[in-house]
Amino acid sequence: MIVVRAELGDLARLIKFRTDTAAWLRPRGIDQWSLPFPPEHMTASIIRGEVFLFKETPTSDAAATVTLDREADELLWTPEERVVDALYVHKLTVDRAYSGSGLGARILDWAGDQAAQQGAKWLRLDAWTTNSQLQAYYLGLGFKHVRTVDNPAAGGSGWVAQRPAKFATHERVAFSDRMSS
């Protein structure tokens, strides 16, 4: 896999990741991502260079996406936690065709490597409070549950976890500067 920064032209694909995943979760009784995501929020993240696509080749369709930034949600992280240098994982989504391939774990290792390279102490994330399968997945990948925040303003996402930022011990995912077509 290679990783490329998302461009504004990728917005429709990024929204499709979210709607496809919500449709897959719905029959499983999980309402995560059931509300449409404001495209302008994602557009701002793309412009800041925080959204990444994982592809088999520079021209193939994206297999996964993640947003990686330093934006600690004030509803989820305490003031003391927010002053500690960390990178935050948002909107990690793997296309169902790649489900079970280990791609999600590799993306989190890549994100942890990015955090270590940038001098951050932690790689942090949050998950839907009712998605116990996702929470177990993150725990299995070495994240430690910090707390669950019950705040309606958080929109259902209030289970927060972190693991130390660390350099990847396996072959790094290649980063490619994408040429516009």
Side-chain angles (χ1 to χ4, degrees), residues 28-151:
R28 289 158 179 77
I30 301 169
D31 66 346
Q32 184 171 341
W33 293 354
S34 56
L35 298 175
F37 194 77
E40 60 275 5
H41 182 78
M42 192 169 292
T43 298
S45 295
I46 293 168
I47 291 169
R48 287 190 303 267
E50 301 165 342
V51 182
F52 300 90
L53 299 171
F54 292 78
K55 300 177 164 205
E56 291 188 39
T57 70
T59 58
S60 62
D61 188 27
T65 183
V66 70
T67 299
L68 188 63
D69 61 32
R70 293 186 181 274
E71 291 184 37
D73 188 326
E74 294 180 6
L75 298 173
L76 303 177
W77 299 96
T78 67
E80 296 79 19
E81 290 164 340
R82 292 193 309 268
V83 297
V84 176
D85 199 8
L87 286 186
Y88 295 82
V89 171
H90 306 282
K91 302 175 206 71
L92 171 59
T93 315
V94 175
D95 189 280
R96 299 312 314 152
Y98 292 87
S99 177
S101 69
L103 181 55
R106 288 200 64 205
I107 292 169
L108 289 168
D109 286 348
W110 173 83
D113 184 77
Q114 294 295 302
Q117 287 184 48
Q118 294 179 35
K121 179 177 181 177
W122 297 106
L123 180 64
R124 292 179 170 160
L125 51 76
D126 59 273
W128 214 247
T129 57
T130 57
N131 193 339
S132 59
Q133 290 176 325
L134 183 59
Q135 295 165 18
Y137 174 75
Y138 289 141
L139 292 171
L141 293 175
F143 285 86
K144 302 293 183 213
H145 178 239
V146 176
R147 82 182 130 285
T148 300
V149 177
D150 184 20
N151 185 332

